[in-house]
Amino acid sequence: MLPAPAIRGLYRTDARARAAYAEAAGIYRIIPAAVAIPADADDLVALVNWAAATRTALVPRGAGSAMGGGNVGDGVIVDLAGLRGNGITIAPEKRSAVTGAAVTLLELNQAAAPYQLRLPPDPSSGRWATLGGMISTNAAGARTVRYGSVRPWLQAVEIITADGERTRIARGAPLPAVEAVRRFTEEAAPAIAAAAPLIRQRFPHTRKNSSGYALDAYLRSGELLDLLIGSEGTLAFITAAEWRLDRVPGHQAALRIALASMDRFAEVMAALLPHRPAAAELLDRTFLDLVADRLPADAAAAAHGAEAIVLVELEGDDTAVLRRTTEQLSAALAALGGRVETAADEAEANRLWELRHAASPILAGLPETRRSLQVIEDGCVPVARVGDYIRFVRAAAAARGLAVVIFGHAGDGHIHVNLLPELARAGWEQEVAALLDEVTGEIVRVGGTPSGEHGDGRLRAGLLGRVYGGGITELFRRIKTAFDPRGILNPGVIVPDGAPPVSRLKAGGGAAALPPDIAAALRDIERTGGYATPRLALADGAASVA
């Protein structure tokens, strides 16, 4: 057994602490070697130096709500809950904020609200998602269609490199003189520049992409910051961040469009997107069937006979402009065969959008014999191919006897798919793995990406050769080696380690054994979205879910 690192924070190797960190959101259950909770950034430096000396893998972790498996692993889980720094500093005159990495999106937006400011990216996990975690996956959400992902809102990060050096990377600023940056500049940057035509050819031409290292964004901006965004803790630890903020619009309006057929979906989006909606969400027939028995009368009427429903949110400060836009869109979408309902204020808009949230309690309440698994859950395709992609997923899943629930961010072509396998059925794991392989082939064929906003994690790392080709994935390896020559930062994430993606699952007969009370508490966190719960509370017997 390795000697414990000399840190002021916690370091635990007991079975209960390790079990409490064996799961996160997503499909995996992997019992780590140990758990570390550094007291602060200086403590994290000491831990990184220890890991470098002992060649020990470190797995960074925020709230544990990311779904790709980048927050679990065999090494030492590094719970970054202590990295709050000085908390949150708002500069309203600059519309900016500085935060610690462990601050949540909800906390930042609550601090910014008195100044009528916000950070617009809005992942559904925003109540508990840490800002460091959001940077690590280039998180997005429903508002991405108008405001983009995390990337355009991030101005700077403070990091700790795999060499144990603390530094700051900022837009428009000279690069710091640290070893990781020197190696990158000398060993990886020239290769990226030489491969520019290949990068432009092979990177997906989708509205969102959180898969691989963002070579395309780096080429456009020339900013190293853009490579760190979405790197999932494989290049450095993020300890603090500086953000641009945006004004909170004064008014909302909404539309609910029932589509009799997905054949007109691309035309509907073509009519909608020029009006810059704040959100445009898609609820597929599989979603509508799941929630059918729980819908209020007006939502049930909207869903009747529809192959899909599109929910649209509009934002602005001028109510007259919003009203005209709503009327124009309603007429245009009705002409395309949609049944359109409108809402002119926030209360009515919330009523139309209630349908979007109806599935969560149903999926959370599934019996143990049928689990909701996020395997092909983050594909993003060109908007014009959404209808084809959804029908492909439905047919491929049905051919393998797998039920699916499909919804997503319509305006970005970003589709979430929840698989609902019957765990008592022999061979379900092989069918899930085969479906992942088949759907990945379709994503590549239509020019999409396997991850629109959740990152690759362990789940999708092995797929990137098919998406990008060998030349690009070799660049990924060069970048990883330049920043992390000893391979201690989140190995197996983005750059694969050869492990099968559908393995070491939290569900099914092959799942690793955990103490029953901890297994039950982790399941409760999954059901209720209790990701703010400190996991050591589970290990030490205080297992109430936050």
Side-chain angles (χ1 to χ4, degrees), residues 376-469:
I376 53 170
E377 49 81 33
D378 203 31
C380 186
V381 301
V383 173
R385 306 305 298 269
V386 165
D388 295 337
Y389 175 68
I390 287 177
R391 286 171 175 166
F392 181 92
V393 172
R394 287 186 202 151
R400 299 187 179 281
L402 294 169
V404 295
V405 176
I406 301 173
F407 55 99
H409 310 309
D412 291 313
H414 185 197
I415 306 302
H416 296 312
V417 180
N418 281 27
L419 301 184
L420 308 178
E422 297 177 39
L423 304 191
R425 176 181 160 197
W428 69 266
E429 297 97 330
Q430 291 75 25
E431 294 294 350
V432 168
L435 181 63
L436 174 62
D437 181 76
E438 191 174 359
V439 172
T440 299
E442 179 67 4
I443 285 173
V444 172
R445 190 184 72 81
V446 301
T449 172
S451 177
E453 65 185 5
H454 294 160
D456 295 314
R458 304 180 186 285
L459 177 61
R460 289 176 276 268
L463 308 179
L464 299 191
R466 296 174 66 184
V467 176
Y468 292 109

Side-chain angles (χ1 to χ4, degrees), residues 135-136 138 150-151 154 171 214 224-231:
I135 295 166
S136 294
N138 188 31
V150 158
R151 176 166 285 111
L154 187 67
R171 293 194 188 279
L224 184 56
L225 182 61
D226 283 324
L227 275 184
L228 293 173
I229 297 168
S231 61

Side-chain angles (χ1 to χ4, degrees), residues 101-170:
V103 170
T104 67
L105 175 63
L106 176 63
E107 290 170 332
L108 171 56
N109 280 339
Q110 286 176 334
Y115 308 102
Q116 294 298 301
L117 297 173
R118 68 180 181 185
L119 181 64
D122 63 331
S124 59
S125 58
R127 288 174 294 154
W128 54 77
T130 65
L131 294 168
M134 288 176 58
I135 295 166
S136 294
T137 59
N138 188 31
R143 289 199 202 109
T144 312
V145 67
R146 178 163 182 165
Y147 297 103
S149 65
V150 158
R151 176 166 285 111
W153 301 95
L154 187 67
Q155 292 296 96
V157 291
E158 294 177 15
I159 63 171
I160 295 170
T161 71
D163 305 298
E165 295 185 284
R166 293 182 66 175
T167 192
R168 184 174 188 267
I169 308 289

Side-chain angles (χ1 to χ4, degrees), residues 65-255:
S65 57
M67 293 183 180
N71 42 20
V72 293
D74 293 304
V76 176
I77 297 290
V78 184
D79 186 334
L80 299 170
L83 297 187
R84 296 187 63 84
N86 294 321
I88 306 168
T89 302
I90 305 291
E93 70 285 354
K94 297 180 180 178
R95 293 191 189 177
S96 68
V98 175
T99 70
V103 170
T104 67
L105 175 63
L106 176 63
E107 290 170 332
L108 171 56
N109 280 339
Q110 286 176 334
Y115 308 102
Q116 294 298 301
L117 297 173
R118 68 180 181 185
L119 181 64
D122 63 331
S124 59
S125 58
R127 288 174 294 154
W128 54 77
T130 65
L131 294 168
M134 288 176 58
I135 295 166
S136 294
T137 59
N138 188 31
R143 289 199 202 109
T144 312
V145 67
R146 178 163 182 165
Y147 297 103
S149 65
V150 158
R151 176 166 285 111
W153 301 95
L154 187 67
Q155 292 296 96
V157 291
E158 294 177 15
I159 63 171
I160 295 170
T161 71
D163 305 298
E165 295 185 284
R166 293 182 66 175
T167 192
R168 184 174 188 267
I169 308 289
R171 293 194 188 279
L175 291 176
V178 297
E179 280 299 297
V181 172
R182 180 194 62 78
R183 287 191 301 264
F184 170 78
T185 302
E186 294 178 1
E187 301 167 14
I192 295 172
L198 179 64
I199 293 167
R200 295 187 184 101
Q201 175 192 352
R202 291 303 301 255
F203 261 68
H205 296 290
T206 48
R207 291 176 59 94
K208 297 166 73 173
N209 183 25
S210 288
S211 191
Y213 296 124
L215 303 182
D216 56 343
Y218 171 72
L219 282 178
R220 287 193 298 268
S221 69
E223 298 281 1
L224 184 56
L225 182 61
D226 283 324
L227 275 184
L228 293 173
I229 297 168
S231 61
E232 298 192 75
T234 63
L235 304 183
F237 281 95
I238 295 167
T239 60
E242 180 182 342
W243 303 92
R244 286 195 311 115
L245 302 178
D246 194 37
R247 288 186 60 257
V248 177
H251 302 283
Q252 290 182 352
L255 299 95

Side-chain angles (χ1 to χ4, degrees), residues 11-14 17-18 21 31-36 50 74-78:
Y11 183 77
R12 300 268 297 262
T13 59
D14 59 284
R18 292 162 57 217
Y21 283 87
I31 299 175
V35 175
W50 168 83
D74 293 304
V76 176
I77 297 290
V78 184

